[in-house]
Amino acid sequence: MEMIRLFDIRTIFLMLPITAILFGLVLWLGPKRDRNEGLQRWIIGLVCVGVSWSLMATRGHLHPAISVAFADGLMVAALSAQAGAFYEFKYQRPPSRKTLIPAVVLFLIFLTIPLSYRTYTLLGSFTISVPLLIMGYLSWGLGNTAARIPMAVFYTLGGFLLQARALHIWFSTETNLNFFTAHPLHVFTFLNSFAMTISGSIGFLELQRWRAEKRIRHYAMHDDLTGLLNRRAFFKLAQRELGRAKQKHSAMAVMMLDIDHFKRINDTYGHFTGDIVLVEIANAFHQCLREVDLLCRSGGEEFMVLLVGVSQESALEIAERICDSVSKLKIKGVEHAITLSIGLTMCDASSDESIDKGLQKADEALYEAKRGGRNRVVVAEAAQQHSPA
């Protein structure tokens, strides 16, 4: 404990603003684009935290209106901004501006009401601890990355240390307590604040990188318009499902689907309306398929589906349900009937037949459905047509 008391609180206070402001400036001087998902709010909060620490270090030298009232109010506002950055990152929307109200109230109280050191420490510390505890709580759900763990630990610990420090000062019998007293609890509180600044900034950047990589992986595997799998991702996942089906000796089915007379819809209503039709049809597919099934937009108005662990009767039932669901779609501004033609075939997982061969058979059945009048399902093996009721 004696070693802890050797720490100079003012030296720690010198480290705190320098670290916070340097991190903020480095982030500010970085790429100006894509400062969303809380990054802009985080940078502003980080710089304000550094300014607040600097003002707190001047207590006893500058007027209390600046070194106490404004400094503590700015700290609450800065930490609220950083908590807002966490909120924006997690929920993809900015927080309410009402979160700054506690900072304004605290500033006005400290500015207008004369308080003892014990009272303002209790009030200020408990107010400042609230955004820290919120950040500690939000950190656990910010993403699948290890960076959130030290953030959650240090922010939660920081909130509780501030409260413990305030209670210690309130109930302490010492008469020489002040803001820079080198009590072990005070030292741990401010050292933890230093750790919060470092782990929070590095952690938030790591979360930004994780989110960016996740988005890149999504775009690499999905169609931009409909959000469905693209061809490359479909075949990759389909081969994996084929391997599983071989091990389990289960059946699979593949479907080729095509929107009937889609060119006429584009020519009549425009490509923007055509895109809306594609999105609505993709949503209808999702309503009819199971989570284990694979759904792909293979290009234009064509789609591919892999049905996992189904019999031919079940696959036919799903295909007819899709066909019927699309035919009942009502899209604002589109007077033409929207229908599908579907080719269906079973895949024998016990043989070496590839997904490509199954899709080739389904494609032949699809064209048979087109020649048979459209708005129907054709099963490749039996060359049997099925029209929705």
Side-chain angles (χ1 to χ4, degrees):
M1 289 299 179
E2 290 300 323
M3 182 177 294
I4 294 295
R5 290 181 181 273
L6 293 177
F7 278 89
D8 181 23
I9 297 292
R10 291 185 183 273
T11 302
I12 298 177
F13 263 77
L14 180 64
M15 296 165 55
L16 284 169
I18 290 176
T19 304
I21 293 174
L22 282 178
F23 267 115
L25 287 177
V26 168
L27 295 176
W28 184 263
L29 294 174
K32 300 294 189 296
R33 296 178 301 171
D34 299 326
R35 282 187 180 173
N36 50 11
E37 297 186 331
L39 184 56
Q40 182 82 5
R41 199 178 302 272
W42 178 267
I43 294 173
I44 294 173
L46 192 60
V47 173
C48 289
V49 164
V51 173
S52 176
W53 283 124
S54 299
L55 294 176
M56 289 181 187
T58 64
R59 290 181 180 179
H61 300 281
L62 292 183
H63 193 279
I66 298 175
S67 61
V68 177
F70 183 71
D72 281 12
L74 182 62
M75 179 62 75
V76 176
L79 293 176
S80 296
Q82 290 186 306
F86 281 21
Y87 180 91
E88 185 176 347
F89 181 87
K90 182 175 182 179
Y91 297 107
Q92 301 291 292
R93 64 178 186 272
S96 171
R97 294 181 180 178
K98 294 179 180 178
T99 55
L100 297 177
I101 292 177
V104 176
V105 172
L106 186 69
F107 170 70
L108 293 176
I109 291 175
F110 284 172
L111 187 64
T112 58
I113 303 175
L115 300 172
S116 66
Y117 172 69
R118 295 176 189 272
T119 304
Y120 95 71
T121 300
L122 188 70
L123 182 60
S125 294
F126 270 88
T127 306
I128 293 173
S129 71
V130 172
L132 292 179
L133 293 174
I134 291 174
M135 282 191 280
Y137 171 75
L138 291 176
S139 295
W140 292 109
L142 289 183
N144 188 22
T145 170
R148 73 188 192 280
I149 298 176
M151 293 168 67
V153 170
F154 287 124
Y155 280 115
T156 303
L157 182 61
F160 286 125
L161 280 174
L162 271 177
Q163 295 178 357
R165 174 179 174 272
L167 292 174
H168 168 260
I169 291 176
W170 181 263
F171 291 106
S172 177
T173 57
E174 296 182 50
T175 58
N176 62 340
L177 284 176
N178 61 65
F179 194 71
F180 302 104
T181 300
H183 186 277
L185 184 57
H186 299 196
V187 174
F188 279 127
T189 300
F190 296 131
L191 285 177
N192 185 77
S193 298
F194 184 69
M196 282 192 307
T197 302
I198 297 176
S199 64
S201 298
I202 295 176
F204 199 73
L205 281 178
E206 173 64 17
L207 288 168
Q208 294 277 334
R209 183 198 62 79
W210 168 80
R211 176 69 63 78
E213 288 186 355
K214 183 180 178 181
R215 188 177 292 114
I216 290 172
R217 288 194 298 270
H218 176 83
Y219 288 145
M221 297 182 65
H222 294 81
D223 171 59
D224 288 344
L225 177 64
T226 62
L228 305 182
L229 293 172
N230 58 28
R231 289 180 62 90
R232 179 181 180 183
F234 177 83
F235 281 107
K236 180 180 179 179
L237 296 176
Q239 287 301 129
R240 186 183 66 185
E241 292 297 335
L242 181 63
R244 291 177 178 175
K246 286 181 179 180
Q247 293 178 350
K248 297 179 180 179
H249 304 287
S250 60
M252 296 193 306
V254 291
M255 292 191 292
M256 293 290 294
L257 310 91
D258 187 86
I259 304 174
D260 298 327
H261 302 298
F262 185 70
K263 184 178 184 300
R264 185 172 64 185
I265 295 175
N266 274 335
D267 292 343
T268 304
Y269 304 103
H271 290 277
F272 180 77
T273 300
D275 288 347
I276 295 176
V277 171
L278 287 169
V279 171
E280 290 297 324
I281 288 177
N283 292 335
F285 289 165
H286 281 300
Q287 298 297 320
C288 299
L289 296 173
R290 306 159 302 166
E291 291 186 4
V292 294
D293 299 326
L294 300 181
L295 173 60
C296 162
R297 182 187 177 197
S298 56
E301 68 274 22
E302 297 179 347
F303 303 85
M304 298 185 297
V305 172
L306 174 68
L307 301 175
V308 180
V310 293
S311 63
Q312 180 169 305
E313 291 75 15
S314 298
L316 179 58
E317 181 182 344
I318 293 173
E320 290 178 338
R321 187 162 64 243
I322 291 173
C323 206
D324 181 63
S325 177
V326 170
S327 68
K328 293 179 179 178
L329 282 176
K330 301 296 182 183
I331 298 176
K332 185 177 180 180
V334 178
E335 298 179 359
H336 287 82
I338 301 173
T339 60
L340 284 179
S341 295
I342 301 177
L344 169 68
T345 188
M346 299 299 296
C347 286
D348 185 6
S350 61
S351 69
D352 293 330
E353 186 178 66
S354 66
I355 296 295
D356 302 83
K357 291 182 179 179
L359 289 170
Q360 184 178 354
K361 290 182 180 179
D363 193 50
E364 293 171 358
L366 169 63
Y367 280 96
E368 184 65 30
K370 293 284 188 183
R371 288 191 293 268
R374 295 181 171 84
N375 189 27
R376 65 193 63 238
V377 180
V378 171
V379 181
E381 289 80 1
Q384 184 179 0
Q385 295 185 4
H386 298 265
S387 300

